[in-house]
Amino acid sequence: MEGFPRDEFDEDFELEDVTVEPAPPYWFPGGRMPDDARRMGLTHHVPDGALLDFASHLDSSRPFHRAVAWVLLVVFGGPVVIYVVQLVHDVVAH
């Protein structure tokens, strides 16, 4: 069948075929990395890319994943909120 990617379950698939490169399984790291992140050079090997790859694997239909997303939001958003509150306090105090 033309137009469909071939995989190792095709009966005509040969590992020696140099024109076909089997895709890595979807569970490999970096598989869900957004195209924009890939163009920027992020991979799952760098800290920012690893965090982005981890967050992209969260599923909102699972309660534990939702809890992890909220924890990530607090961990990364909390310091920003505290800094803004301190900045406003310093501006008002002077």
Side-chain angles (χ1 to χ4, degrees):
M1 288 187 220
E2 290 189 32
F4 291 101
R6 294 174 44 195
D7 61 14
E8 63 270 14
F9 299 111
D10 287 342
E11 56 190 39
D12 296 330
F13 183 79
E14 295 180 17
L15 289 177
E16 292 80 27
D17 189 0
V18 294
T19 60
V20 176
E21 209 174 292
Y26 70 91
W27 61 83
F28 274 24
R32 293 186 184 182
M33 188 74 62
D35 292 334
D36 293 337
R38 283 193 202 129
R39 281 195 294 272
M40 288 174 29
L42 291 178
T43 66
H44 63 279
H45 298 291
V46 295
D48 294 336
L51 183 62
L52 184 61
D53 186 45
F54 172 76
S56 69
H57 281 84
L58 294 176
D59 182 8
S60 64
S61 66
R62 300 175 130 186
F64 183 71
H65 286 210
R66 291 183 84 140
V68 168
W70 277 106
V71 168
L72 286 173
L73 184 64
V74 168
V75 166
F76 289 102
V80 174
V81 171
I82 291 171
Y83 177 76
V84 169
V85 168
Q86 286 179 344
L87 185 66
V88 169
H89 181 265
D90 290 343
V91 168
V92 172
H94 289 97

